[in-house]
Amino acid sequence: MTLIASVTPTTAVTVVGLDAAGAPPHPALAPVLAAAGLVVGAARHLAVVPVPAGADTIALGPLAPALHRLTEAVAAGVPAVVLASGDPGLFGIVRRLRAAGLPLRVVPAVSSVAAAFARAGLPWDGAAVVTAHGRDPRPAVNACRALPLVAVLTAPGAGAAELGEGLVGWSRRLLVAEHLGTDAERIRAVTPEQAAAETWADPHVLLSLADAAPADAAPADAAPDRGVGGGMRADNQPAAAPAGGWALPENRYIHRDSMITKSEVRALVVARLRPRLGRLIWDIGAGSGSVGIECALLGAAVLAVEQDPGAGATVRANADAHAVHVRLVTGRAPAALAGLPEPDAVFVGGGGVDVLAAVVARRPERVVLTLAALDRVAPAVNLLRAAGYTVEGSQLSAARLADLPGGSIRLAATNPVVVLTGERQ
């Protein structure tokens, strides 16, 4: 089976990466550039390569005119070259050119992400790479909140200052790499607070490291660890399902007096919260932290709110045991919710109608709550509907196998629970 379409060099657009690490251009650039009738690239790229005197050039701004000219060049058999930064297949122009149906030959160089990790002397085989360029930066911030090692491609208005502001309260060390591969190259280690207070030169790459980072990666005045769960997943693969599964049995968590969401209920709750990389989940009334921890195992950033300091210590211990990062806020909701970053979904495992009202006032996409008392169901449903949420609900009643003397087996019922899900219209 043929997986890659075959194209001849004369019909393909050659996309050449210029090395973000500052090395000379790839040897393949000289011959394709010498034969080019059309050269496309940012103004800074066009200025540093020997464009043939007879070739047309397009300095990239809006991409549509360049795509049109490239399509015409391919149809006319005119050799065309596109200049890009680093590896153009990594959050680069290759995706847009492929989407336009252009046949491509790609000659990559060292990407800015690889160069940044190299400059810092850090391995990055387990890093998550995300971009804040040309899109809402919140998913990138949430990836940094959730994972121990993240590289972010930034943009004006979505750079180290904005990302640092979003990471205040999380135990993160930030490495900001400016002007990689140029005489103005600079790499600085800062706290989120320091990053938020500074102005950074574009372009730059941000590396976000949790407390597993080497000690020399942090400045002397770095803030102490305020996070929960200092360990790093061995595979650090947020897109994959956790190796140990989810809806784990209660004995996989430390908990007091069975104060834990049962695994059967937890399975539905986590499914309704839809955790994934780029989302922020609040776990209010966290108790053992089991719901939030399983959301973190699936890649989400998690804020656990718990009023009992003893239970907070339990959340910390459980997060450490499962090697995930969960930020703990100790305080009583709804007051403790003030000033927290906006959630994508919220689990309300404790608190009354006043807590639910405070949650819906923040307008998360989804709100999930569990109720054991039936007299609390109608007020919760009415409140969600009045706030513009569509509501679904289920009563879960599980019966587990239990052994009897003599080898017989019976069913032991667990307490029924109502699970409500509100989805913002």
PDB file of all heavy atoms in Angstrom, residues 351-366:
ATOM      1  N   GLY A 351     -20.660  20.571  49.038  1.00  0.00           N
ATOM      2  CA  GLY A 351     -21.171  21.941  49.109  1.00  0.00           C
ATOM      3  C   GLY A 351     -22.638  21.991  48.747  1.00  0.00           C
ATOM      4  O   GLY A 351     -23.199  21.064  48.156  1.00  0.00           O
ATOM      5  N   GLY A 352     -23.251  23.116  49.061  1.00  0.00           N
ATOM      6  CA  GLY A 352     -24.674  23.271  48.826  1.00  0.00           C
ATOM      7  C   GLY A 352     -24.987  24.049  47.574  1.00  0.00           C
ATOM      8  O   GLY A 352     -24.147  24.207  46.672  1.00  0.00           O
ATOM      9  N   VAL A 353     -26.205  24.586  47.537  1.00  0.00           N
ATOM     10  CA  VAL A 353     -26.664  25.324  46.369  1.00  0.00           C
ATOM     11  C   VAL A 353     -25.828  26.574  46.151  1.00  0.00           C
ATOM     12  O   VAL A 353     -25.617  27.004  45.011  1.00  0.00           O
ATOM     13  CB  VAL A 353     -28.162  25.685  46.542  1.00  0.00           C
ATOM     14  CG1 VAL A 353     -28.625  26.609  45.421  1.00  0.00           C
ATOM     15  CG2 VAL A 353     -29.020  24.429  46.561  1.00  0.00           C
ATOM     16  N   ASP A 354     -25.316  27.160  47.253  1.00  0.00           N
ATOM     17  CA  ASP A 354     -24.500  28.366  47.095  1.00  0.00           C
ATOM     18  C   ASP A 354     -23.210  28.080  46.332  1.00  0.00           C
ATOM     19  O   ASP A 354     -22.742  28.911  45.544  1.00  0.00           O
ATOM     20  CB  ASP A 354     -24.185  28.976  48.464  1.00  0.00           C
ATOM     21  CG  ASP A 354     -23.462  28.015  49.394  1.00  0.00           C
ATOM     22  OD1 ASP A 354     -23.581  26.788  49.195  1.00  0.00           O
ATOM     23  OD2 ASP A 354     -22.792  28.493  50.330  1.00  0.00           O
ATOM     24  N   VAL A 355     -22.652  26.882  46.523  1.00  0.00           N
ATOM     25  CA  VAL A 355     -21.447  26.505  45.775  1.00  0.00           C
ATOM     26  C   VAL A 355     -21.787  26.318  44.303  1.00  0.00           C
ATOM     27  O   VAL A 355     -21.077  26.803  43.418  1.00  0.00           O
ATOM     28  CB  VAL A 355     -20.825  25.221  46.356  1.00  0.00           C
ATOM     29  CG1 VAL A 355     -19.667  24.742  45.478  1.00  0.00           C
ATOM     30  CG2 VAL A 355     -20.361  25.453  47.785  1.00  0.00           C
ATOM     31  N   LEU A 356     -22.884  25.625  44.025  1.00  0.00           N
ATOM     32  CA  LEU A 356     -23.292  25.417  42.638  1.00  0.00           C
ATOM     33  C   LEU A 356     -23.581  26.749  41.955  1.00  0.00           C
ATOM     34  O   LEU A 356     -23.212  26.951  40.787  1.00  0.00           O
ATOM     35  CB  LEU A 356     -24.518  24.507  42.585  1.00  0.00           C
ATOM     36  CG  LEU A 356     -25.047  24.154  41.190  1.00  0.00           C
ATOM     37  CD1 LEU A 356     -23.983  23.446  40.368  1.00  0.00           C
ATOM     38  CD2 LEU A 356     -26.308  23.288  41.303  1.00  0.00           C
ATOM     39  N   ALA A 357     -24.223  27.678  42.672  1.00  0.00           N
ATOM     40  CA  ALA A 357     -24.508  28.992  42.089  1.00  0.00           C
ATOM     41  C   ALA A 357     -23.219  29.730  41.751  1.00  0.00           C
ATOM     42  O   ALA A 357     -23.112  30.377  40.702  1.00  0.00           O
ATOM     43  CB  ALA A 357     -25.354  29.816  43.067  1.00  0.00           C
ATOM     44  N   ALA A 358     -22.209  29.631  42.616  1.00  0.00           N
ATOM     45  CA  ALA A 358     -20.932  30.283  42.349  1.00  0.00           C
ATOM     46  C   ALA A 358     -20.235  29.657  41.151  1.00  0.00           C
ATOM     47  O   ALA A 358     -19.576  30.348  40.371  1.00  0.00           O
ATOM     48  CB  ALA A 358     -20.037  30.201  43.582  1.00  0.00           C
ATOM     49  N   VAL A 359     -20.410  28.349  40.990  1.00  0.00           N
ATOM     50  CA  VAL A 359     -19.794  27.665  39.856  1.00  0.00           C
ATOM     51  C   VAL A 359     -20.427  28.112  38.545  1.00  0.00           C
ATOM     52  O   VAL A 359     -19.735  28.481  37.593  1.00  0.00           O
ATOM     53  CB  VAL A 359     -19.901  26.130  40.024  1.00  0.00           C
ATOM     54  CG1 VAL A 359     -19.565  25.415  38.713  1.00  0.00           C
ATOM     55  CG2 VAL A 359     -18.984  25.655  41.135  1.00  0.00           C
ATOM     56  N   VAL A 360     -21.742  28.086  38.451  1.00  0.00           N
ATOM     57  CA  VAL A 360     -22.395  28.423  37.184  1.00  0.00           C
ATOM     58  C   VAL A 360     -22.205  29.899  36.844  1.00  0.00           C
ATOM     59  O   VAL A 360     -22.266  30.285  35.673  1.00  0.00           O
ATOM     60  CB  VAL A 360     -23.896  28.038  37.193  1.00  0.00           C
ATOM     61  CG1 VAL A 360     -24.061  26.546  37.390  1.00  0.00           C
ATOM     62  CG2 VAL A 360     -24.655  28.819  38.249  1.00  0.00           C
ATOM     63  N   ALA A 361     -21.934  30.724  37.857  1.00  0.00           N
ATOM     64  CA  ALA A 361     -21.659  32.126  37.587  1.00  0.00           C
ATOM     65  C   ALA A 361     -20.364  32.303  36.795  1.00  0.00           C
ATOM     66  O   ALA A 361     -20.180  33.320  36.116  1.00  0.00           O
ATOM     67  CB  ALA A 361     -21.583  32.911  38.899  1.00  0.00           C
ATOM     68  N   ARG A 362     -19.487  31.307  36.865  1.00  0.00           N
ATOM     69  CA  ARG A 362     -18.242  31.356  36.099  1.00  0.00           C
ATOM     70  C   ARG A 362     -18.416  30.807  34.686  1.00  0.00           C
ATOM     71  O   ARG A 362     -17.486  30.849  33.880  1.00  0.00           O
ATOM     72  CB  ARG A 362     -17.145  30.567  36.842  1.00  0.00           C
ATOM     73  CG  ARG A 362     -16.859  31.075  38.254  1.00  0.00           C
ATOM     74  CD  ARG A 362     -16.248  32.452  38.270  1.00  0.00           C
ATOM     75  NE  ARG A 362     -14.854  32.416  37.851  1.00  0.00           N
ATOM     76  CZ  ARG A 362     -13.821  32.226  38.688  1.00  0.00           C
ATOM     77  NH1 ARG A 362     -14.044  32.079  39.994  1.00  0.00           N
ATOM     78  NH2 ARG A 362     -12.594  32.223  38.223  1.00  0.00           N
ATOM     79  N   ARG A 363     -19.550  30.265  34.372  1.00  0.00           N
ATOM     80  CA  ARG A 363     -19.932  29.827  33.026  1.00  0.00           C
ATOM     81  C   ARG A 363     -19.014  28.764  32.420  1.00  0.00           C
ATOM     82  O   ARG A 363     -18.599  28.862  31.260  1.00  0.00           O
ATOM     83  CB  ARG A 363     -20.021  31.021  32.067  1.00  0.00           C
ATOM     84  CG  ARG A 363     -20.915  32.151  32.535  1.00  0.00           C
ATOM     85  CD  ARG A 363     -22.327  31.700  32.714  1.00  0.00           C
ATOM     86  NE  ARG A 363     -22.926  31.337  31.422  1.00  0.00           N
ATOM     87  CZ  ARG A 363     -24.034  30.597  31.286  1.00  0.00           C
ATOM     88  NH1 ARG A 363     -24.638  30.113  32.354  1.00  0.00           N
ATOM     89  NH2 ARG A 363     -24.500  30.329  30.084  1.00  0.00           N
ATOM     90  N   PRO A 364     -18.669  27.704  33.171  1.00  0.00           N
ATOM     91  CA  PRO A 364     -17.915  26.619  32.538  1.00  0.00           C
ATOM     92  C   PRO A 364     -18.781  25.897  31.512  1.00  0.00           C
ATOM     93  O   PRO A 364     -20.016  25.966  31.566  1.00  0.00           O
ATOM     94  CB  PRO A 364     -17.565  25.694  33.705  1.00  0.00           C
ATOM     95  CG  PRO A 364     -18.657  25.930  34.699  1.00  0.00           C
ATOM     96  CD  PRO A 364     -18.999  27.391  34.570  1.00  0.00           C
ATOM     97  N   GLU A 365     -18.130  25.205  30.582  1.00  0.00           N
ATOM     98  CA  GLU A 365     -18.890  24.476  29.565  1.00  0.00           C
ATOM     99  C   GLU A 365     -19.769  23.388  30.180  1.00  0.00           C
ATOM    100  O   GLU A 365     -20.897  23.175  29.747  1.00  0.00           O
ATOM    101  CB  GLU A 365     -17.928  23.827  28.567  1.00  0.00           C
ATOM    102  CG  GLU A 365     -17.121  24.800  27.742  1.00  0.00           C
ATOM    103  CD  GLU A 365     -16.100  24.076  26.884  1.00  0.00           C
ATOM    104  OE1 GLU A 365     -16.198  22.837  26.751  1.00  0.00           O
ATOM    105  OE2 GLU A 365     -15.201  24.749  26.345  1.00  0.00           O
ATOM    106  N   ARG A 366     -19.225  22.702  31.178  1.00  0.00           N
ATOM    107  CA  ARG A 366     -19.948  21.573  31.766  1.00  0.00           C
ATOM    108  C   ARG A 366     -19.804  21.609  33.280  1.00  0.00           C
ATOM    109  O   ARG A 366     -18.749  21.972  33.815  1.00  0.00           O
ATOM    110  CB  ARG A 366     -19.407  20.235  31.239  1.00  0.00           C
ATOM    111  CG  ARG A 366     -19.540  20.095  29.734  1.00  0.00           C
ATOM    112  CD  ARG A 366     -18.867  18.826  29.213  1.00  0.00           C
ATOM    113  NE  ARG A 366     -19.603  17.617  29.585  1.00  0.00           N
ATOM    114  CZ  ARG A 366     -20.681  17.168  28.947  1.00  0.00           C
ATOM    115  NH1 ARG A 366     -21.155  17.844  27.907  1.00  0.00           N
ATOM    116  NH2 ARG A 366     -21.279  16.073  29.322  1.00  0.00           N
TER     117      ARG A 366
END
